[in-house]
Amino acid sequence: MNWLRFGNPELLHLLWLVPPLIFLLLFGLRQKQRALRQFHTGVDPGHLQRHKIQAGLLLLSYLFVVLAMARPQWGAKSEAVAERLDVMLALDVSTSMLAEDDKSVRRLAHAKEMMLSLLDALEGDRIGLLYFAESSFVVCPLTSDTGTLREFLAAVTADTLVHSGTRIGNAIEIATERLISDQKDTGIASDFGGQKVLILFTDGEDHGGDAVAAAKAATGEGVYIYCIGIGDPIRAVPIPLQSGVATEATPYKRDTSGQLVLTALDETHLQEIAKEGNGNYHHATAGITELATDLARLEKQKFRIRADGEYQDRFQLFVAGALVLLICEVLHFTLWSRRSQR
């Protein structure tokens, strides 16, 4: 009975007195009936019936008083129905995101700029944040608090990027699992759920090889995947080493043979992922306009917010019921007394 609860449920133990009271009342009435028949003749049958009515009214009033003291509560506010998307933003934090494709702007800074703009467009939706490279981890679960998300994004700087590899497939798997689990929030009705969306901000470099298969599996769970390409797909650029590692002689990353490591945006790979994920691919230079248009086309799913904690005390009804029963008992006794005197 999720719709009913008691503020003082321990007082309901007083209801155990009801059976003994019923037994005592019936026993008393039977003894009185025997005594009247033994010492009086022509006993009015209605006399004992009136006593039964009085006893019943008093017993019911006791029941109502106990229930009132237990503070019954119900009448929760009707469940609010709203619409929203559940969006997981996935940011590539591998060292290739340190590369500068144009105007000395790092890929990381460009991706963060886009994500911050997108937060404004997704106002009212639930948004989560995931970082990925050779491994993936959710830094913020689905939330409507965009302020917290902005703080997490601000904390990611070039000095924090230490991961050299990238596994996009793992990021898709982790994001999908979290999108599904976060929808099982206790405040959301289980028969509704927001549309699940994953947006990858990455240069497309992938050392896992299972991203397309992971995207196809995610669509089976109802997840839409969009890819935002960060970088230049034509011109490959070197990857700057982090401060403290770079030197004047070797400012860029090199492989084990001493060759300069170059990185370029892999648009083809990201387009394949987006296609299998029932989404679209967009280049970061287009801004968020096209992406926001795509998200607006998705049918936002309705969800219900349970009104747990909005129960209201209803003991007044039981107090009123007890008073009505007592008044009826008094009136019954008064009318019976007057009739007896005639």
Side-chain angles (χ1 to χ4, degrees):
M1 297 176 64
N2 295 329
W3 57 272
L4 173 66
R5 67 183 184 187
F6 292 90
N8 301 318
E10 65 277 2
L11 294 180
L12 291 174
H13 290 295
L14 293 175
L15 294 177
W16 289 109
L17 295 176
V18 172
L21 288 174
I22 293 175
F23 174 78
L24 290 175
L25 287 173
L26 292 176
F27 180 77
L29 288 173
R30 180 168 295 183
Q31 292 298 107
K32 185 173 184 179
Q33 183 179 9
R34 289 179 179 177
L36 287 174
R37 289 178 177 175
Q38 184 175 358
F39 297 104
H40 295 274
T41 58
V43 176
D44 182 8
H47 180 81
L48 293 175
Q49 187 64 30
R50 284 189 288 271
H51 277 293
K52 290 181 181 180
I53 293 174
Q54 282 183 287
L57 291 172
L58 290 173
L59 189 62
L60 284 175
S61 64
Y62 171 80
L63 179 64
F64 273 60
V65 168
V66 171
L67 292 175
M69 290 191 300
R71 289 178 54 210
Q73 300 170 341
W74 71 80
K77 293 180 181 179
S78 58
E79 294 176 332
V81 178
E83 294 180 336
R84 61 111 200 276
L85 293 177
D86 283 349
V87 182
M88 184 66 72
L89 304 180
L91 175 62
D92 187 346
V93 293
S94 62
T95 52
S96 64
M97 294 293 285
L98 295 174
E100 299 173 356
D101 295 277
D102 187 32
K103 298 179 181 179
S104 299
V105 177
R106 295 184 187 273
R107 294 174 181 176
L108 177 65
H110 197 177
K112 288 172 59 176
E113 182 181 352
M114 277 199 70
M115 295 173 78
L116 290 172
S117 298
L118 187 59
L119 291 179
D120 295 328
L122 293 176
E123 184 177 357
D125 297 321
R126 293 203 310 172
I127 310 168
L129 182 61
L130 175 144
Y131 296 158
F132 70 96
E134 56 191 357
S135 60
S136 305
F137 49 97
V138 176
V139 294
C140 184
L142 294 178
T143 179
S144 299
D145 183 7
T146 57
T148 300
L149 291 167
R150 292 177 185 277
E151 291 178 3
F152 278 115
L153 286 174
V156 181
T157 63
D159 293 332
T160 63
L161 302 192
V162 296
H163 304 283
S164 57
T166 309
R167 294 175 56 205
I168 298 178
N170 178 254
I172 295 174
E173 292 171 356
I174 297 298
T176 300
E177 291 175 3
R178 197 55 185 262
L179 282 167
I180 295 172
S181 63
D182 280 0
Q183 281 200 347
K184 297 177 181 179
D185 189 283
T186 55
I188 301 173
S190 59
D191 52 343
F192 289 90
Q195 202 78 288
K196 299 181 287 291
V197 180
L198 169 61
I199 306 175
L200 296 164
F201 295 82
T202 177
D203 55 21
E205 286 198 357
D206 189 6
H207 302 92
D210 57 352
V212 175
K216 186 174 183 179
T219 59
E221 300 292 343
V223 178
Y224 292 81
I225 300 177
Y226 293 84
C227 296
I228 307 301
I230 312 293
D232 191 328
I234 300 175
R235 184 172 64 93
V237 295
I239 302 174
L241 293 175
Q242 296 169 295
S243 58
V245 179
T247 64
E248 185 175 348
T250 57
Y252 298 105
K253 184 177 180 180
R254 295 179 180 274
D255 59 21
T256 55
S257 62
Q259 297 296 315
L260 196 64
V261 176
L262 300 178
T263 174
L265 169 62
D266 190 346
E267 286 191 308
T268 302
H269 187 44
L270 294 181
Q271 288 168 351
E272 292 175 352
I273 294 172
K275 182 179 179 180
E276 289 296 334
N278 286 337
N280 284 320
Y281 166 80
H282 301 290
H283 193 274
T285 54
I288 67 165
T289 303
E290 294 180 354
L291 175 60
T293 301
D294 282 345
L295 297 178
R297 292 194 186 104
L298 293 178
E299 182 181 357
K300 292 191 176 184
Q301 296 296 316
K302 294 182 179 180
F303 70 100
R304 297 184 301 177
I305 303 175
R306 295 195 183 107
D308 188 30
E310 300 293 343
Y311 288 87
Q312 300 178 18
D313 283 318
R314 301 295 183 177
F315 67 89
Q316 304 93 334
L317 298 176
F318 292 87
V319 171
L323 288 175
V324 170
L325 290 169
L326 290 174
I327 291 173
C328 290
E329 192 277 333
V330 171
L331 290 176
H332 179 76
F333 177 78
T334 302
L335 292 175
W336 174 35
S337 299
R338 289 180 179 178
R339 289 179 181 178
S340 299
Q341 292 175 1
R342 292 179 182 177

